[in-house]
């Protein structure tokens, strides 16, 4: 049996188990990683490489930092003040979360934005007397929408520019993607707020970082925790080479524990280990799909479907859905790294602009909405909310279609073939 077939079988079983949940999803995720290894698709040594990543360290550090705001009592104060603006209406909280996360994610890492905003969003929901799960999922979607606003909004955008440069093409400029991003942000925010949020339940789950008894405000410790969080966010936004995001998060966590804003025991409790295990397992699953050759097989299928003289609508549709489908199971950066060279070959063979094809792939590759393992931040949100695979499918597929609609309408205007 060929490796692409084996990989698809493992993936299909994983998806079924994610939906059915006869065992905890962390067991399924790690089991899938082991299956890819023991069928020879990835190396045995690569099964747990995802846990030796800066993303895991960043998440753990920011979870401790976020929890320190709860332990010092400042989140109750902030939550109450924010609720005065939004009211206790969950829809208003979701809308505010989407708008703010969209704007900030245009210039900051979406994972950084999420781990920074999650404590505040959770506190706002608790103060309003509503469950935080829908609002935390809105935070995920808002951060993903905002990633389309600039070249640095999400790592896959910069990866696309890098591949273009390596292949001898002029890379996209900082704001080349912006018109598409603005449309995605507006339509996506309206969709999630007024339609999409109705597709998913309130799970009633409170994230580990907020799972603490209500604390009285300790002004001195609250100032320390707040200033530390602010400093870490500034470093994350500036992203200096000598102080990576994960280092800033760890230093911040050390400060809040060292100044006794929270105890070591509280810090360990604040880390959502279920979330970290899920995020870490994503690397092996993504690598398995990539190594199997399933992506190459899909590329050949695309060329066969397009034929020799396709129209521009057919080009956009086939390439978009091929990349969007693959990114739901292989993550955005690997999808774009795989598809861009193929896209340029397709553009040359059918004599259309390679830049239009590259933009379609970049936008489709980052449309990671419809499965939990489409991106690390999706897995992280599963840990925070306990949403199931089916919940992501229900709310994510319409968002993929909205992104497709944006591409079909705006490509001929801003980047014609």
């Amino acid at each position: 049996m060929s490796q692409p077939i084996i990989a698809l079988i493992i993936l299909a079983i994983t998806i079924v188990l994610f939906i059915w949940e006869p065992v905890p999803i962390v067991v399924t995720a790690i089991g899938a990683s082991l299956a890819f290894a023991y069928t020879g698709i990835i190396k045995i040594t690569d099964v747990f490489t995802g846990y030796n990543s800066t993303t895991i360290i960043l998440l753990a550090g920011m979870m401790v930092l976020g929890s320190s705001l709860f332990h010092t009592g400042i989140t109750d104060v902030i939550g109450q003040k924010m609720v005065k603006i939004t009211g206790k209406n969950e829809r208003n909280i979701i809308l505010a979360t989407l708008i703010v996360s969209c704007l900030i994610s245009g210039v900051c890492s979406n994972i950084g934005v999420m781990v920074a905003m999650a404590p505040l969003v959770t506190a706002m929901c608790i103060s309003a007397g509503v469950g935080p799960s829908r609002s935390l999922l809105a935070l995920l979607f808002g951060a993903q929408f905002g990633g389309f606003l600039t070249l640095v909004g999400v790592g896959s955008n910069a990866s696309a520019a890098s591949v273009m440069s390596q292949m001898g093409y002029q890379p996209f400029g900082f704001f080349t993607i912006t018109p598409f991003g603005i449309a995605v942000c507006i339509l996506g925010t309206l969709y999630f707020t007024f339609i999409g949020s109705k597709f998913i339940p309130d799970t009633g789950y409170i994230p580990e970082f907020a799972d603490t008894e209500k604390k009285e405000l300790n002004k001195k410790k609250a100032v320390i925790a707040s200033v530390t969080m602010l400093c870490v966010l500034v470093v994350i936004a500036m992203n200096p080479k000598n102080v990576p995001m994960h280092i800033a998060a760890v230093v911040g966590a050390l400060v809040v524990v060292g100044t006794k804003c929270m105890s070591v025991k509280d810090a360990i409790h604040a880390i959502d280990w279920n979330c970290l295990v899920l995020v870490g397992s994503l690397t092996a699953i993504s690598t398995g799909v990539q190594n199997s050759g399933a992506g190459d097989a899909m590329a050949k299928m695309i060329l066969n479907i397009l034929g020799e003289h396709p129209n521009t609508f057919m080009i956009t549709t086939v390439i978009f859905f091929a990349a969007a489908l693959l990114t739901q199971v292989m993550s955005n950066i690997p999808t774009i790294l795989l598809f861009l060279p193929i896209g340029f070959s397709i553009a040359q063979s059918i004599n259309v602009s390679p830049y239009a094809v590259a933009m379609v792939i970049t936008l489709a590759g980052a449309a990671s909405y419809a499965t939990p393992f489409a991106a690390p931040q999706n897995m992280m949100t599963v840990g925070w909310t306990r949403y199931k695979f089916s919940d992501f499918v229900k709310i994510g597929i319409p968002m993929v279609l909205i992104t497709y609609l944006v591409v079909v309408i705006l490509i001929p205007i801003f980047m014609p073939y």
Side-chain angles (χ1 to χ4, degrees), residues 18-97:
F18 264 52
I19 296 172
W20 184 27
E21 284 195 47
V23 295
I25 58 174
V26 292
V27 174
T28 299
I30 296 175
S33 303
L34 292 170
F36 277 115
Y38 282 95
T39 51
I41 297 175
I42 65 174
K43 296 177 181 178
I44 299 294
T45 53
D46 290 340
V47 172
F48 298 112
T49 54
Y51 300 101
N52 183 28
S53 72
T54 58
T55 299
I56 294 291
I57 303 300
L58 169 66
L59 293 179
M62 292 302 292
M63 286 173 185
V64 173
L65 258 179
S67 185
S68 72
L69 300 178
F70 285 90
H71 279 275
T72 58
I74 189 64
T75 48
D76 289 332
V77 177
I78 295 173
Q80 290 165 8
K81 289 185 180 297
M82 293 175 73
V83 166
K84 287 182 180 178
I85 298 173
T86 63
K88 294 187 177 182
N89 185 299
E90 185 182 23
R91 180 180 291 176
N92 291 345
I93 295 173
I94 288 172
L95 180 59
T97 300

Side-chain angles (χ1 to χ4, degrees), residues 4 27 82 102 147-148 167 176 186 205 217 266 302 310 335 355 401 407:
V27 174
M82 293 175 73
C102 276
F148 290 113
M167 297 189 68
T176 304
I186 293 173
Y205 182 75
L217 177 64
D266 288 333
I302 292 171
T335 296
Y355 295 100
L401 296 177
V407 171

